[in-house]
Amino acid sequence: MEKVRCEGSTICYSDQGKGEAIVLLHGFCGSAEYWEKVIPRLSSSYRVIAPDLRGHGESDAPLGAYTIESMADDVLGLLDALELSKVTLLGHSLGGYVALSFVQRYASRLTGFGLIHSTAYPDTDEAKEKRLKSVSTIQNEGIHVFVDGLVPGLFAPGTVESSPHLLERAKEIGYRTPPQGAAGVALAMRERPDRRDVLSASELPVLLVAGAEDKLVPAERTFTSDKANVTQATIAGVGHMSMMEDPERLAEIIGDFVDKAVATN
């Protein structure tokens, strides 16, 4: 992992391959390692950059409140440090929220963008309550207990049964999330606004990917725009974690999208 200073914080990132630049943003209690099966499939044809978002992995996890906007600013700082004028930005779950904030303010830096098992909707009232419970669990019982409760619901039932090693890998990555980072980001997700208008107004190429068995973000919450510039893809047999459950199919979808996005710019 390499390091760069962004907005006073250190952001760690993986940078592999050459060609058109793709930036992959991981989900909550993940890290760049979430993409470890996807990156090799893409880096033979593209330059693939995967940061640990603020509060996660090896990046700084300052105490106090976080915002989705500050996390998007970290991504901008990373692009500036790497002297990348334009990239395709793809975000998984939390990473999708960060991507939408980036699109809202820095669209000129993008060739295209996408949400992978993510949504432009804000949290529901019920989800906001769950965020507070998450923070309480993290602060009172620790990150291991929280991650143990979180991970099984990320995967399709068939994956849980047939591939328990994938759940163990997701837990291993999650355990390394600094507790104050996880708590800060949970509160940031709770406060994020409705960005369906950002998605529907954008003229950039857009990729929306849903898991057929995703219980956290069902397809109808991902597919909130069907304009001509939007590519929708549903991956069969996966839940919220296609980058682990079916990395080959996800990489294929991403590669096809990036090729189309570059061709239209």
Side-chain angles (χ1 to χ4, degrees):
M1 295 286 281
E2 300 177 59
K3 296 182 179 181
V4 68
R5 293 288 289 175
C6 300
E7 298 289 315
S9 292
T10 297
I11 299 296
C12 294
Y13 64 97
S14 162
D15 186 352
Q16 299 180 42
K18 294 181 179 179
E20 292 293 334
I22 302 171
V23 177
L24 301 175
L25 306 180
H26 62 78
F28 183 50
C29 287
S31 74
E33 291 181 295
Y34 262 18
W35 303 103
E36 63 192 0
K37 292 185 176 183
V38 173
I39 290 172
R41 290 173 160 88
L42 292 173
S43 59
S44 58
S45 302
Y46 312 96
R47 182 179 179 184
V48 185
I49 298 147
D52 288 348
L53 292 170
R54 180 186 294 227
H56 290 79
E58 296 178 28
S59 291
D60 281 354
L63 291 167
Y66 290 40
T67 66
I68 297 298
E69 291 70 31
S70 66
M71 296 171 81
D73 289 343
D74 289 340
V75 176
L76 179 67
L78 176 60
L79 300 194
D80 288 345
L82 296 178
E83 298 182 346
L84 288 166
S85 58
K86 284 205 173 192
V87 302
T88 299
L89 182 64
L90 304 171
H92 165 239
S93 199
L94 159 67
Y97 311 150
V98 176
L100 282 169
S101 174
F102 192 100
V103 172
Q104 189 170 36
R105 293 174 295 140
Y106 312 122
S108 64
R109 301 295 294 272
L110 299 177
T111 304
F113 71 95
L115 308 183
I116 299 172
H117 313 306
S118 191
T119 181
Y121 278 100
D123 269 359
T124 62
D125 289 342
E126 180 186 7
K128 286 183 177 183
E129 283 303 308
K130 285 184 177 178
R131 300 287 188 203
L132 296 180
K133 289 178 182 174
S134 296
V135 171
S136 176
T137 300
I138 293 162
Q139 291 177 336
N140 296 318
E141 300 179 58
I143 194 68
H144 280 63
V145 170
F146 176 71
V147 168
D148 284 344
L150 172 72
V151 165
L154 301 179
F155 292 87
T159 305
V160 174
E161 206 165 296
S162 67
S163 303
H165 65 283
L166 296 181
L167 279 74
E168 291 309 309
R169 179 59 180 145
K171 287 180 182 180
E172 182 185 334
I173 293 167
Y175 293 155
R176 293 199 289 270
T177 310
Q180 73 273 19
V185 172
L187 295 175
M189 290 191 291
R190 185 178 187 271
E191 297 304 318
R192 76 183 190 279
D194 189 334
R195 287 198 165 101
R196 282 176 291 169
D197 59 333
V198 176
L199 189 60
S200 61
S202 179
E203 297 300 325
L204 289 164
V206 179
L207 175 64
L208 302 176
V209 178
E213 300 182 47
D214 190 344
K215 300 296 188 289
L216 264 69
V217 183
E220 61 268 20
R221 287 184 69 82
T222 298
F223 298 148
T224 56
S225 177
D226 58 0
K227 290 168 58 186
N229 61 315
V230 175
T231 300
Q232 297 184 359
T234 301
I235 303 179
V238 309
H240 197 65
M241 298 288 283
S242 62
M243 68 290 302
M244 289 187 177
E245 294 175 275
D246 195 349
E248 187 171 356
R249 179 65 185 131
L250 180 60
E252 181 183 5
I253 290 167
I254 291 172
D256 287 347
F257 172 72
V258 172
D259 289 346
K260 275 201 303 185
V262 170
T264 60
N265 275 263

